[in-house]
Amino acid sequence: MSAARVSLTHENVAYAGVIAFDGEVLEILGFADTTSHRMPIELIDEVEASDREFNAFSNPAKGDSYGIQLAIDASDDEVSALQELADAVRSASRGSG
């Protein structure tokens, strides 16, 4: 089980946030949202990270997808950390099936 946590900064502190994965649950806090987002590993089929977005989807190949779509503005260092987090989620997802 791999755990990962990425804090993303923003010039407007309201748009800063944290994406965390404890090996079982992906959690997103902040990013000018008043609610947190949690998604258990058993429901995650796909995860994507770039400098503009972080996404976690359930069932995307079947057209019945839902999940988390998060618009971000990440630096190169943050993107690298997000890619590592996404890899940890992918690895855990393959092991949960």
Side-chain angles (χ1 to χ4, degrees), residues 42-87:
E42 293 86 357
L43 300 180
I44 299 173
D45 294 312
E46 184 177 314
V47 62
E48 305 166 342
S50 74
D51 65 333
R52 295 281 176 209
E53 60 188 11
F54 183 89
N55 303 314
F57 297 116
S58 180
N59 221 6
K62 296 178 183 171
D64 220 4
S65 181
Y66 70 92
I68 300 167
Q69 290 183 285
L70 178 65
I72 58 174
D73 182 14
S75 70
D76 290 344
D77 289 340
E78 290 169 334
V79 170
S80 179
L82 285 171
Q83 290 292 347
E84 289 178 22
L85 186 143
D87 289 344

Side-chain angles (χ1 to χ4, degrees), residues 1 3 6 11 16 23-26 33-34 36 39 49 54-57 64 67 69 77 84-85:
M1 232 188 282
V6 179
E11 62 186 38
E24 295 182 18
V25 176
L26 177 67
D33 202 344
T34 58
S36 66
M39 196 167 182
F54 183 89
N55 303 314
F57 297 116
D64 220 4
Q69 290 183 285
D77 289 340
E84 289 178 22
L85 186 143

